[in-house]
Structure formats: structure tokens, C-alpha cells
Amino acid sequence: GENPDCVHVTGCPSIDIAHQVVSSGNNILDFDPIKKYGGVGPELDWSNGYIVAMQHPVTTEFKLAEFQILETLRAVHRMGLPAFWFWPNLDAGTDGTSKGIRKYREQNKIENIHFFKNMKGADFLKLLKNSFCLIGNSSVGLRECSFLGVPSINIGDRQFGRERSSNIIDVDYSADEILQAFNIVNNGFTCSSSNLYGDGNAGKKIVKILSSVDLSIKKKLSY
């Protein structure tokens, strides 16, 4: 319903950070995530590769949050590869997601997963850039991972309807499906960098637009 003359496509500003990481020539993983950020879990030898996991609750499916996270945990645990797992956001259902993680940690001996609360943006993007893939349902899989050329196993409907690049493999909340998708990634799945969500210059474009357009507080929908 917005007036088309007031719509300016600039791309996502977060891609600007990903562009800086890639273009700086310093996109290798030049820090130890566990030593720098602590977290919870075993020490990992990630020198031969690792995966990143980030799964949030779905607000319309909050009652299923615990079941959904347990399926992903089972899959990543069975993979056996070192995994850096990030804590969920605070959307409705996060109690179920957090409960599922704690329950699984208490009931299983997990030797390949280390859990983090958060990480600085540039460090997180370096971590993604050098990983085998991202597993979960975060929008970072569609946005930043597409720009970085990192495969993303996208679970469930949280990102339903959003544009996708060639880096996405969609699966349901099923440990077996997640493992099947990872086998595809592990057997030569490749994806190139995509500018679907921006080319790394969104900030400059936004500044240029705001400095030149006539701003108005009057708003009229065009439908």
C-alpha cells in the first residue's frame, strides 16, 4: 500500500558488514571462538571443519518449540562434526527451545557441540564464512549466508515466503531430513555468492536517499 515513488530498494544493511568481512581480505577464522567467547560445552578440535547452528522458536508454533529443537539437536549430535551452537532469541516459545537444549545436554553426553550466547557481528560472519554450513531457521541463513556463499539448511516455516538464493536447502523439523540435507552439503553441494539481499553498499545508498528526498509526515496508502 505504500506509494511506489516512496519505495527505494537499497538492500539489507547487515550485508554491508558481510561485505566488509569479505573485502578486507581478513575473512579467515583468525580467533578461537571458545577461548574468546567462553560458552558452555566441550573443547572442540575444529581445525578440520565445523558447522554452525542457530534455531529460534516460531511464534505461531510456540507449543512445538521443545520438540523442534530436540530434532535438530539429535541430527547435529549424530553428525559428529564440531558444532558451534547459538542460543535462541526471545520470541514466544523460547522457554520451550531453551528447555529442550538443557534437557538434551543433561540426558546425553555431547562431545561435538559447544553453546554460545552471542558473538560480535564481524566474528560471527567470519565463523559462518569458514563453516561447512549453517543449520537452523535464522534469517542469517537466507541473507548473510547467501552473500557469503555458505550453504544453509533451513528448517521449518519460520522463513516461509522469503526470497531464497541457491544456498538454501529446505527441510522439515525432522532429524532424518536434516541429516539427509547435510549429506547433500557434505557430498559436494556448492553455491556462489549472491546479491539477492544486497551488494554491501546499503548504508551509502540509504544516506544518499535520505539526503536528497523530500520527507513528509503525511502518509496516504495507495489502495
Side-chain angles (χ1 to χ4, degrees):
E2 186 63 68
N3 182 343
D5 293 337
C6 296
V7 176
H8 304 272
V9 180
T10 65
C12 178
S14 67
I15 299 298
D16 293 11
I17 304 175
H19 180 263
Q20 291 171 7
V21 168
V22 174
S23 62
S24 68
N26 186 27
N27 58 6
I28 62 171
L29 190 59
D30 54 0
F31 65 96
D32 185 320
I34 297 175
K35 288 183 179 178
K36 187 170 183 177
Y37 290 97
V40 175
E43 294 287 330
L44 301 178
D45 179 7
W46 42 270
S47 59
N48 292 317
Y50 60 88
I51 59 178
V52 178
M54 178 181 285
Q55 183 167 315
H56 304 300
V58 181
T59 55
T60 56
E61 303 172 356
F62 66 93
K63 292 183 179 180
L64 300 173
E66 183 177 344
F67 161 78
Q68 292 172 345
I69 199 69
L70 286 173
E71 287 295 300
T72 308
L73 281 162
R74 292 186 185 102
V76 173
H77 192 188
R78 284 163 59 184
M79 288 174 195
L81 286 172
F84 298 115
W85 194 300
F86 287 82
W87 213 249
N89 66 14
L90 295 177
D91 286 349
T94 192
D95 289 347
T97 303
S98 300
K99 179 182 177 182
I101 293 174
R102 293 189 177 97
K103 180 186 294 186
Y104 196 86
R105 287 196 311 210
E106 292 170 0
Q107 297 177 351
N108 298 272
K109 185 178 181 181
I110 308 176
E111 297 179 344
N112 66 310
I113 306 176
H114 197 93
F115 296 87
F116 296 94
K117 288 287 187 181
N118 49 46
M119 189 175 288
K120 290 181 179 179
D123 284 350
F124 179 63
L125 292 171
K126 285 183 182 180
L127 191 74
L128 282 176
K129 176 63 178 174
N130 292 278
S131 68
F132 281 127
C133 66
L134 173 72
I135 298 176
N137 61 8
S138 170
S139 59
V140 72
L142 278 70
R143 294 196 315 258
E144 287 86 345
C145 282
S146 69
F147 182 82
L148 295 171
V150 175
S152 176
I153 299 173
N154 179 63
I155 308 171
D157 293 334
R158 191 169 189 269
Q159 303 302 330
F160 178 76
R162 301 188 74 172
E163 291 184 288
R164 283 156 165 70
S165 185
S166 61
N167 72 310
I168 298 294
I169 302 176
D170 287 302
V171 299
D172 199 358
Y173 289 101
S174 161
D176 289 338
E177 284 194 33
I178 297 168
L179 285 166
Q180 290 170 9
F182 180 73
N183 286 335
I184 294 174
V185 172
N186 205 32
N187 287 316
F189 178 83
T190 58
C191 54
S192 57
S193 175
S194 168
N195 289 346
L196 178 64
Y197 281 94
D199 60 5
N201 292 294
K204 293 179 180 178
K205 293 176 182 177
I206 292 170
V207 168
K208 184 177 181 180
I209 291 166
L210 291 178
S211 66
S212 60
V213 299
D214 293 326
L215 300 179
S216 174
I217 61 172
K218 293 183 179 180
K219 186 176 179 69
K220 180 179 180 181
L221 295 179
S222 61
Y223 60 82

